[in-house]
Amino acid sequence: MLMTAMCGGLFNQAQAGSELTTLLMLLHENGTITTEQYQRVLAESQATEQKNTAKIKNLQTQLDKATEVEVSVKGGVKIKSKDGAFSTKLGGRLQMDAANFSEDGKNQGDGTEVRRARLSLSGKMYQDWGFKLENDFTKSGVSGITDAYMTYSGFEGHTFQVGHFRDSVILQELNSDNDTQFMERALLSAFGQGRHMGLGDNYKGKNWTATAALFGDKASTNSATSDEGWGVAGRLTATPYQQGENLIHVGIASDYRELRSGSSVLSFKTSPESHLGGLKLVDTGTIVAAENYQVSGLEAAFVKDGFNGQAEYVRTDVERVGLADLAFDGWYAQMGYVITGEARPYKGNKFGRIKPKSVFGQGGTGAWEVVARYSTVDLSDKDVLGGEQDNFSVGVNWYATPTIRFMANYVTVLEVKGGANDGVEPDIFQTRFQWAF
Amino acid sequence: MLMTAMCGGLFNQAQAGSELTTLLMLLHENGTITTEQYQRVLAESQATEQKNTAKIKNLQTQLDKATEVEVSVKGGVKIKSKDGAFSTKLGGRLQMDAANFSEDGKNQGDGTEVRRARLSLSGKMYQDWGFKLENDFTKSGVSGITDAYMTYSGFEGHTFQVGHFRDSVILQELNSDNDTQFMERALLSAFGQGRHMGLGDNYKGKNWTATAALFGDKASTNSATSDEGWGVAGRLTATPYQQGENLIHVGIASDYRELRSGSSVLSFKTSPESHLGGLKLVDTGTIVAAENYQVSGLEAAFVKDGFNGQAEYVRTDVERVGLADLAFDGWYAQMGYVITGEARPYKGNKFGRIKPKSVFGQGGTGAWEVVARYSTVDLSDKDVLGGEQDNFSVGVNWYATPTIRFMANYVTVLEVKGGANDGVEPDIFQTRFQWAF
Amino acid sequence: MLMTAMCGGLFNQAQAGSELTTLLMLLHENGTITTEQYQRVLAESQATEQKNTAKIKNLQTQLDKATEVEVSVKGGVKIKSKDGAFSTKLGGRLQMDAANFSEDGKNQGDGTEVRRARLSLSGKMYQDWGFKLENDFTKSGVSGITDAYMTYSGFEGHTFQVGHFRDSVILQELNSDNDTQFMERALLSAFGQGRHMGLGDNYKGKNWTATAALFGDKASTNSATSDEGWGVAGRLTATPYQQGENLIHVGIASDYRELRSGSSVLSFKTSPESHLGGLKLVDTGTIVAAENYQVSGLEAAFVKDGFNGQAEYVRTDVERVGLADLAFDGWYAQMGYVITGEARPYKGNKFGRIKPKSVFGQGGTGAWEVVARYSTVDLSDKDVLGGEQDNFSVGVNWYATPTIRFMANYVTVLEVKGGANDGVEPDIFQTRFQWAF
């Protein structure tokens, strides 16, 4: 509309510019030109105007068409309709790892791997409807499907979600692996819930968020003759302090799960914060007679310019049929310092990836970050002796561009107490090359 | 070219607008300006014109470039060259199901699943050549490949097709699962042929179509030491009556298949019109000594405004080596009524998805449809006792937007007679959330 | 900027065209119009100019936005930022094969297959950084990942590469299967190294190239307790003669590999230049006690207008623990003649696909090529009796469009000497339909 008015007006005036008409009128008034001459030139001027108006319409149509959608390309591609009601993003990520183990009694395999290789299609339709489908090509069939859902955000503040998405109980799980400050999540990923098929509501208040969801099991297409497990999860977060990029984040969450009827295969284990090693140093093994369990967590984090910190405590309670209840727990605390000064970005109720102020190769240095983490998990309780593990890790992250990151981590297993690998305490050096958009 | 003419003309006139030239001439004739003055202004006017012509060319080039391709985004993305010779579509679908079984003697597992999760790339090249590749991420490796073919439509009316595509024998199989009115196809999907590697011709007459194709086996990369099975299929359809969106469709089709040499693994079975249950109530088991079989079908359908109906009868004949021939059959009839009045769209020789007149969340209600179906299949003949099953189903479909659909189905197994599950007659309630584009 | 200047200039002049101002001045000088009249028209003219300047800015913004990225579609889609710093390409390929074996003693299975079905996302970010992720849907999970890497080309001539990419030792492996002149590579693909996780540098000199890389094993996510194998590879190529499209190419390459510690599963085998047959006529079986091996090759090729040729000799040396060393080798020579005259395109240090001068279906014939190849491989040495095989093949390739190709190959197994299939010498006729972009 604006365009129409603008172009129409613009060219009409350019043609029969009022100044020419005025000059014509004055010349006529002055008697310089005759009435007949005046009318002849005026008629010519009007005819030109009419012809041009039609041509302008044509031009407008072309310009409107050309600006109907906005296409942007930064590795991934994003296409957006002009009115914002529709958008589609083609995204991807590739994480390539290498690891070396200074072994301690038991073998871990030095080597390389494609940690994650994903493509995703996501976007918005008819203003209020969102969609996403992402697949990880490192996994086979349905187990490669990560995010696969639809959303509806037609009610102020609420985003309803249906499909395969993350249980919202542990902050370090909610932060995308594209964005986490260490290559692998802390030891309490032993209690990680991953994604399940669910139905939830995410509410965003002024400085708080609330999430509640009902879940079935993982995405699958396996027809079965026993009832699927299910769960219910909730999380509350708040930012009691937020000033520009600086903030304090706190949260509390819990996730209750009932196991698939007639086939309990519950176990908790974790790699030593390195995915490449084949040995899980702590592992409960299958917990027989388990019926249900509850994962509960407390989380806190802060950002103060280039400094940031994050800590979490998670406890898991297991109910067994005819056997005593079990409780396992763990926690970690990590600190980061971005030497180049960028603040760790906060996204509603979790954290994003550091965006370098300058790009390497275009006169800049990228962003440089150093990080340190202490983490521990205890998988031993009563008759279940999974072992206890303590780790200390340091790392350097280089964000060469907003889409490219290099990571180097050094992990020291401080202690493994109990379980099958008691006293096996390797050191691990590992690196990652990542592109993600 | 149009653009060139238009812009050139437009600006030239705006510059040296004939009215100014005329005025100049008149003033000269009247003696108001001297010949020298006249020539000076005329020369200036011509110089301006020349300068502008060059600038216009530049502008044209930019506008031409900006309108070279048309990009549209409605969830999926479609990119089309201006001349129509090239187009590429990035499409996707996600179907998320939940089901509850009121069991009857034998267990079926309540639960959820990702029914289908697909991305596809399709389009047109050099005017006459078409291509498509679609993968379903719920399946592993080559079994995830659905449509994978190329087409050539350089001969009027004909579309030749090579690759992995559907045998064209059962109407309910040809209607995309994005568009079918029930969550699962009727019981005679026991005879579904799915897709095979083939070479075919689709001919479109004025009010009829003919399809003929030669097929190998399913897409695979398994190198083998026995010869692959093969088949030949044909289908004829007609619309004896068609007035706007209203029509009557009839069709006849047959598909003959020779099994892989030396390894007969033929069997016919079907889920109770619910994919989530693990139990197939009727099932022939492996039919020993089977050599070839033929699936033949009769189909009819109608659309009358919001009303629509579809019915099919399919019979399958099996030849065995040294054993009597077998015959199985089944049929279904289904009715739909779109409360909001949309007509079920007809696409050449099959049916598409209802397109709501109004969109939910943008002042509209979407489209609402109620459906009912009776279906039956008989998998018992002679020594093969697969059982006979009768189902009655009702459903509600809500097309919130052209790309989003919610389905709720209630399936009553009326009778299972014979076979391993004689008398097992559960009721099933199931729902689906779907986005597709 | 150009745009701004251009449009600004253009319209300003169109408005207050200097010719009108000149005329005004002359009329004023002549006394035809009064000073008051002169100033009135001049003021009007300037006001119009100012108004239009604002409007022009708006127009510019729109035009700039519309030309910010360039989108092109030729089957695949390529999106490029105007400054060239970013680009993304969505590519795909589909190869559909059928084969018939005139058997000779042992069965090979006639049939069809999807040979390759791939989608890829590749491109450029922030000028110097490249990325690619490609998946082959005919394979499951991580084994479907083909190219998956990032590159950095910020140093003149060098392209550093990290990730999963081809070891650069055999020319016929480096030429993309979209572009090879026969459906399957020659027998010495028995020594094919495929892709490994690696870190390399590709240097491009004036008429030579050098590649060096350090490799781990194939892409995997299998955590293991033994150390991964590794390798180091180098290749040197030169074009001693190059005149337009005509050239002589020579190269030398070597690839040393140490096997995974504690689990040697080395074997060399090859299909009879037909992927569909299940029988590998020559096969060393597992070479026990193998510790490392080295593949070395000599390559030469030429292009002279429609004529082209390519030949390679490859030798593989195996070291065993406590057993004698082994040596296997093979070579092939192939000739092509493009009847329609197109030259086989050279791409730095390998060959691309013939690009037809005219397109079939648009008044053209496409490009037609005939090819012939002799190839041999010897997999017998000392105690390892894999057999020796000689093949002769002819083929016809039709490049209907730059993206569509049909191939027909006739392969004669001249001799199989030694090994489990001594004397089994089938003939094979096979065809391929391919689209790739």
Side-chain angles (χ1 to χ4, degrees):
Chain A
M1 278 315 297
L2 179 74
M3 194 60 208
T4 311
M6 183 192 106
C7 280
L10 166 67
F11 288 92
N12 290 346
Q13 295 190 14
Q15 293 325 316
S18 61
E19 53 273 27
L20 183 65
T21 315
T22 305
L23 176 62
L24 220 53
M25 192 190 67
L26 295 176
L27 291 174
H28 183 225
E29 279 172 13
N30 293 1
T32 313
I33 55 173
T34 64
T35 298
E36 189 250 11
Q37 286 178 333
Y38 169 68
Q39 282 168 348
R40 176 174 161 198
V41 179
L42 197 66
E44 267 188 35
S45 173
Q46 282 163 352
T48 302
E49 188 176 340
Q50 272 170 27
K51 244 188 290 171
N52 288 335
T53 303
K55 289 171 185 168
I56 291 302
K57 242 190 210 154
N58 220 324
L59 179 67
Q60 272 158 234
T61 308
Q62 297 227 19
L63 263 168
D64 285 354
K65 190 147 226 165
T67 55
E68 219 159 56
V69 298
E70 291 167 26
V71 180
S72 65
V73 55
K74 295 262 168 187
V77 172
K78 194 164 180 181
I79 299 177
K80 218 175 75 176
S81 67
K82 202 198 242 170
D83 63 5
F86 292 88
S87 71
T88 297
K89 190 192 161 189
L90 183 59
R93 81 179 66 175
L94 181 63
Q95 298 172 353
M96 301 165 286
D97 291 6
N100 178 276
F101 298 84
S102 74
E103 284 148 15
D104 184 37
K106 292 206 181 174
N107 284 339
Q108 292 280 63
D110 295 350
T112 63
E113 67 171 356
V114 175
R115 182 67 175 91
R116 292 178 183 92
R118 298 185 186 172
L119 291 180
S120 70
L121 193 74
S122 61
K124 198 163 101 167
M125 303 183 291
Y126 301 95
Q127 201 65 50
D128 296 325
W129 303 88
F131 67 93
K132 185 169 184 188
L133 175 55
E134 185 182 58
N135 192 67
D136 194 327
F137 295 106
T138 64
K139 295 195 180 143
S140 283
V142 77
S143 67
I145 296 176
T146 56
D147 283 339
Y149 56 74
M150 62 191 285
T151 60
Y152 180 77
S153 51
F155 297 97
E156 183 67 26
H158 293 272
T159 301
F160 298 100
Q161 193 169 15
V162 185
H164 196 235
F165 56 91
R166 277 197 181 277
D167 281 32
S168 56
V169 71
I170 306 180
L171 174 59
Q172 73 168 359
E173 304 277 325
L174 293 171
N175 294 336
S176 165
D177 52 71
N178 281 334
D179 307 342
T180 48
Q181 293 168 297
F182 286 87
M183 283 172 60
E184 299 298 331
R185 296 180 170 105
L187 292 170
L188 54 75
S189 66
F191 308 128
Q193 287 303 293
R195 291 176 182 83
H196 291 108
M197 295 291 292
L199 185 73
D201 181 17
N202 305 285
Y203 182 78
K204 218 161 250 187
K206 200 179 164 262
N207 62 348
W208 61 283
T209 72
T211 306
L214 187 65
F215 287 102
D217 266 349
K218 289 199 171 301
S220 73
T221 53
N222 291 342
S223 302
T225 52
S226 66
D227 290 350
E228 190 173 284
W230 59 271
V232 55
R235 181 169 176 251
L236 272 170
T237 74
T239 43
Y241 169 81
Q242 187 162 18
Q243 201 73 39
E245 296 171 322
N246 297 333
L247 60 91
I248 294 170
H249 159 99
V250 291
I252 181 168
S254 193
D255 192 349
Y256 171 86
R257 287 200 70 78
E258 193 80 20
L259 298 172
R260 176 178 283 275
S261 63
S263 64
S264 151
V265 287
L266 187 64
S267 73
F268 298 101
K269 55 179 175 285
T270 186
S271 72
E273 300 180 346
S274 174
H275 187 264
L276 266 157
L279 199 61
K280 305 208 180 288
L281 300 176
V282 287
D283 186 348
T284 61
T286 298
I287 300 173
V288 290
E291 207 175 18
N292 64 61
Y293 67 98
Q294 181 150 13
V295 179
S296 302
L298 282 171
E299 56 187 69
F302 79 89
V303 176
K304 168 64 182 159
D305 304 328
F307 285 98
N308 58 66
Q310 179 180 318
E312 242 176 314
Y313 170 78
V314 173
R315 174 188 159 114
T316 297
D317 295 280
V318 181
E319 281 193 356
R320 297 187 290 181
V321 182
L323 286 169
D325 293 351
L326 300 170
F328 309 112
D329 66 356
W331 64 271
Y332 70 86
Q334 67 185 45
M335 290 279 296
Y337 173 56
V338 187
I339 300 164
T340 41
E342 285 86 349
R344 190 183 186 207
Y346 189 63
K347 298 164 78 178
N349 57 13
K350 54 181 184 172
F351 290 91
R353 180 158 77 257
I354 288 180
K355 193 180 166 169
K357 286 180 202 155
S358 71
V359 169
F360 177 79
Q362 305 197 319
T365 57
W368 287 86
E369 181 185 34
V370 288
V371 289
R373 178 172 71 191
Y374 175 82
S375 69
T376 180
V377 72
D378 183 356
L379 298 182
S380 290
D381 191 35
K382 306 200 175 76
D383 53 307
V384 174
L385 301 172
E388 183 191 327
Q389 183 175 353
D390 305 335
N391 275 14
F392 182 73
S393 311
V394 291
V396 177
N397 300 319
W398 179 38
Y399 305 84
T401 80
T403 51
I404 288 174
R405 179 165 76 156
F406 301 91
M407 308 178 84
N409 283 187
Y410 190 82
V411 181
T412 305
V413 178
L414 299 174
E415 184 172 35
V416 172
K417 201 162 70 184
N421 299 302
D422 184 280
V424 179
E425 290 147 5
D427 286 2
I428 306 155
F429 177 70
Q430 54 190 356
T431 59
R432 172 172 299 172
F433 292 80
Q434 170 186 304
W435 54 255
F437 41 72
Chain B
M1 279 313 298
L2 179 74
M3 193 62 207
T4 312
M6 184 191 105
C7 280
L10 167 67
F11 287 93
N12 290 348
Q13 296 190 13
Q15 292 322 317
S18 62
E19 54 272 27
L20 184 63
T21 315
T22 305
L23 177 61
L24 221 52
M25 190 191 67
L26 295 176
L27 292 173
H28 182 227
E29 279 173 11
N30 293 0
T32 312
I33 55 175
T34 65
T35 298
E36 187 250 10
Q37 286 177 334
Y38 169 68
Q39 283 168 348
R40 174 175 164 197
V41 180
L42 198 66
E44 267 189 34
S45 174
Q46 283 163 353
T48 301
E49 190 178 337
Q50 272 169 29
K51 242 188 291 169
N52 288 334
T53 302
K55 290 172 185 167
I56 291 302
K57 243 191 210 154
N58 220 323
L59 179 67
Q60 271 158 236
T61 309
Q62 297 228 17
L63 263 169
D64 284 355
K65 191 148 226 166
T67 55
E68 217 160 57
V69 296
E70 291 167 26
V71 180
S72 65
V73 54
K74 297 262 168 186
V77 171
K78 193 163 181 183
I79 298 177
K80 218 175 75 176
S81 68
K82 202 200 245 169
D83 63 5
F86 293 87
S87 71
T88 297
K89 189 191 160 188
L90 183 59
R93 82 179 65 175
L94 182 63
Q95 298 172 353
M96 302 165 285
D97 292 5
N100 178 275
F101 298 83
S102 75
E103 284 150 13
D104 183 38
K106 292 208 180 172
N107 284 338
Q108 291 280 63
D110 294 351
T112 62
E113 68 170 356
V114 175
R115 182 66 176 92
R116 293 181 181 91
R118 298 185 185 171
L119 291 181
S120 69
L121 194 73
S122 61
K124 198 163 103 170
M125 302 185 292
Y126 301 96
Q127 202 64 50
D128 295 326
W129 303 87
F131 66 94
K132 185 168 183 187
L133 175 54
E134 184 181 59
N135 191 67
D136 193 326
F137 294 105
T138 63
K139 296 197 179 139
S140 283
V142 77
S143 66
I145 296 176
T146 54
D147 283 341
Y149 56 76
M150 62 192 283
T151 59
Y152 180 76
S153 49
F155 297 96
E156 182 67 24
H158 294 270
T159 301
F160 298 101
Q161 192 168 16
V162 184
H164 196 234
F165 55 90
R166 277 196 182 278
D167 282 31
S168 57
V169 70
I170 306 181
L171 174 59
Q172 71 168 359
E173 304 278 324
L174 294 170
N175 293 335
S176 165
D177 52 70
N178 280 335
D179 307 342
T180 48
Q181 294 168 297
F182 286 87
M183 285 172 60
E184 298 298 333
R185 294 180 171 105
L187 292 171
L188 53 77
S189 64
F191 308 127
Q193 287 303 293
R195 291 176 182 83
H196 290 107
M197 294 292 291
L199 184 73
D201 180 18
N202 306 285
Y203 183 77
K204 219 162 250 184
K206 200 179 162 257
N207 63 346
W208 60 283
T209 74
T211 307
L214 187 66
F215 288 102
D217 266 348
K218 291 201 168 299
S220 73
T221 54
N222 291 341
S223 302
T225 51
S226 66
D227 291 350
E228 189 173 284
W230 59 271
V232 56
R235 181 170 175 250
L236 272 171
T237 73
T239 42
Y241 169 81
Q242 188 162 18
Q243 201 72 39
E245 297 172 322
N246 296 333
L247 59 92
I248 293 170
H249 159 98
V250 291
I252 181 167
S254 194
D255 193 348
Y256 171 86
R257 287 202 70 77
E258 193 80 21
L259 298 173
R260 176 177 282 277
S261 63
S263 64
S264 150
V265 287
L266 186 65
S267 73
F268 298 101
K269 56 180 174 281
T270 186
S271 72
E273 300 180 347
S274 174
H275 188 264
L276 266 157
L279 199 62
K280 305 210 182 287
L281 300 176
V282 287
D283 185 349
T284 61
T286 297
I287 299 174
V288 291
E291 206 176 16
N292 65 61
Y293 66 97
Q294 181 149 13
V295 179
S296 302
L298 283 171
E299 55 188 70
F302 79 89
V303 176
K304 167 65 183 162
D305 304 325
F307 285 97
N308 58 67
Q310 179 179 317
E312 242 177 315
Y313 170 79
V314 174
R315 176 188 157 114
T316 297
D317 294 280
V318 181
E319 283 193 356
R320 297 186 291 181
V321 182
L323 286 169
D325 294 350
L326 299 170
F328 308 113
D329 66 356
W331 63 273
Y332 70 85
Q334 68 185 45
M335 291 279 295
Y337 173 56
V338 187
I339 300 165
T340 41
E342 285 86 350
R344 192 181 184 206
Y346 188 64
K347 298 163 79 178
N349 56 14
K350 54 180 182 169
F351 289 92
R353 182 157 75 256
I354 289 184
K355 193 178 168 172
K357 285 179 204 159
S358 72
V359 168
F360 178 78
Q362 302 197 322
T365 57
W368 288 84
E369 180 185 35
V370 289
V371 288
R373 179 172 69 192
Y374 175 82
S375 68
T376 180
V377 72
D378 182 357
L379 299 181
S380 291
D381 190 35
K382 304 201 175 79
D383 53 306
V384 174
L385 301 171
E388 182 192 328
Q389 183 176 354
D390 305 335
N391 274 11
F392 182 73
S393 311
V394 291
V396 178
N397 300 319
W398 179 38
Y399 305 85
T401 80
T403 51
I404 288 175
R405 180 165 75 157
F406 302 92
M407 306 177 87
N409 283 187
Y410 190 82
V411 180
T412 304
V413 178
L414 299 173
E415 183 173 34
V416 172
K417 202 162 68 183
N421 298 301
D422 183 280
V424 179
E425 290 147 5
D427 285 3
I428 305 156
F429 178 70
Q430 53 190 354
T431 59
R432 172 172 297 171
F433 292 79
Q434 170 185 304
W435 53 256
F437 40 71
Chain C
M1 277 315 295
L2 178 75
M3 193 60 208
T4 311
M6 182 192 103
C7 281
L10 167 66
F11 287 92
N12 291 348
Q13 294 189 16
Q15 291 327 314
S18 63
E19 54 273 27
L20 184 64
T21 314
T22 306
L23 176 62
L24 223 50
M25 192 191 68
L26 295 176
L27 290 174
H28 183 224
E29 278 172 14
N30 293 1
T32 312
I33 54 173
T34 65
T35 299
E36 188 250 12
Q37 286 177 336
Y38 170 68
Q39 283 168 348
R40 177 176 160 197
V41 180
L42 198 66
E44 266 187 37
S45 173
Q46 284 164 351
T48 301
E49 189 177 337
Q50 272 170 28
K51 243 189 292 171
N52 288 335
T53 303
K55 289 172 187 168
I56 292 300
K57 241 190 210 156
N58 219 323
L59 179 69
Q60 272 158 234
T61 310
Q62 297 228 18
L63 263 168
D64 284 355
K65 190 147 228 165
T67 54
E68 219 159 57
V69 297
E70 289 167 27
V71 180
S72 65
V73 54
K74 297 262 168 188
V77 172
K78 194 162 180 182
I79 298 177
K80 217 176 78 177
S81 67
K82 203 197 244 169
D83 62 6
F86 293 88
S87 71
T88 296
K89 189 191 161 189
L90 182 60
R93 85 180 63 177
L94 181 64
Q95 298 172 353
M96 301 166 286
D97 291 6
N100 177 276
F101 298 84
S102 74
E103 285 148 13
D104 184 38
K106 291 206 181 174
N107 284 339
Q108 291 280 62
D110 294 351
T112 64
E113 68 171 356
V114 174
R115 182 65 177 92
R116 292 179 183 91
R118 298 185 184 171
L119 291 181
S120 69
L121 193 74
S122 61
K124 197 163 106 166
M125 302 184 293
Y126 301 95
Q127 202 64 51
D128 295 326
W129 303 86
F131 66 94
K132 185 167 183 187
L133 175 54
E134 183 181 60
N135 192 68
D136 194 326
F137 295 105
T138 63
K139 296 198 180 137
S140 283
V142 77
S143 66
I145 296 176
T146 55
D147 283 341
Y149 56 74
M150 61 192 286
T151 60
Y152 180 76
S153 50
F155 297 97
E156 183 66 26
H158 293 271
T159 301
F160 298 101
Q161 193 168 17
V162 185
H164 195 235
F165 55 91
R166 277 196 182 279
D167 281 32
S168 56
V169 71
I170 307 181
L171 174 59
Q172 71 169 0
E173 305 277 324
L174 294 169
N175 294 335
S176 165
D177 52 69
N178 281 334
D179 308 342
T180 47
Q181 293 168 295
F182 286 87
M183 283 172 60
E184 300 298 331
R185 295 180 170 103
L187 291 170
L188 55 74
S189 65
F191 308 127
Q193 287 302 294
R195 292 175 181 84
H196 291 110
M197 294 292 292
L199 185 73
D201 180 18
N202 306 285
Y203 182 78
K204 217 162 254 188
K206 198 178 164 262
N207 62 347
W208 59 283
T209 73
T211 306
L214 188 65
F215 288 101
D217 267 348
K218 291 201 170 297
S220 73
T221 55
N222 291 341
S223 302
T225 52
S226 66
D227 290 350
E228 190 173 283
W230 59 270
V232 56
R235 181 170 177 250
L236 272 170
T237 74
T239 43
Y241 169 81
Q242 187 162 19
Q243 200 72 38
E245 296 171 323
N246 296 333
L247 58 91
I248 292 170
H249 159 99
V250 292
I252 180 168
S254 194
D255 192 350
Y256 171 85
R257 289 200 69 78
E258 193 79 21
L259 298 173
R260 175 176 284 277
S261 63
S263 63
S264 149
V265 287
L266 186 65
S267 73
F268 298 102
K269 56 177 174 284
T270 186
S271 72
E273 300 180 346
S274 173
H275 187 265
L276 266 157
L279 199 62
K280 304 208 182 290
L281 299 176
V282 287
D283 185 349
T284 62
T286 297
I287 299 173
V288 291
E291 206 175 18
N292 64 60
Y293 67 98
Q294 182 149 12
V295 179
S296 302
L298 283 171
E299 56 190 67
F302 78 89
V303 177
K304 168 64 184 160
D305 305 325
F307 284 97
N308 58 68
Q310 179 179 316
E312 245 177 311
Y313 170 79
V314 174
R315 175 189 158 114
T316 297
D317 294 281
V318 182
E319 283 193 357
R320 296 186 291 179
V321 183
L323 287 168
D325 294 350
L326 301 170
F328 308 114
D329 65 356
W331 62 273
Y332 70 86
Q334 67 185 47
M335 291 279 295
Y337 173 56
V338 187
I339 300 164
T340 43
E342 285 86 349
R344 192 182 184 204
Y346 189 63
K347 299 163 78 179
N349 57 13
K350 54 181 183 172
F351 290 91
R353 181 158 74 258
I354 290 189
K355 194 180 165 170
K357 285 179 202 157
S358 71
V359 169
F360 177 79
Q362 305 196 322
T365 58
W368 288 86
E369 182 184 32
V370 288
V371 289
R373 179 171 69 191
Y374 175 83
S375 69
T376 179
V377 72
D378 182 356
L379 298 182
S380 292
D381 191 34
K382 304 198 174 78
D383 54 306
V384 173
L385 301 171
E388 182 191 328
Q389 183 176 353
D390 305 337
N391 275 13
F392 182 72
S393 311
V394 291
V396 178
N397 300 319
W398 179 38
Y399 305 83
T401 80
T403 52
I404 287 175
R405 180 166 73 157
F406 302 91
M407 307 178 85
N409 283 188
Y410 190 82
V411 181
T412 305
V413 178
L414 298 173
E415 183 173 35
V416 172
K417 201 163 67 183
N421 299 301
D422 183 279
V424 178
E425 291 147 5
D427 286 2
I428 306 156
F429 178 69
Q430 51 189 357
T431 60
R432 172 171 297 172
F433 292 80
Q434 169 185 305
W435 54 256
F437 40 71

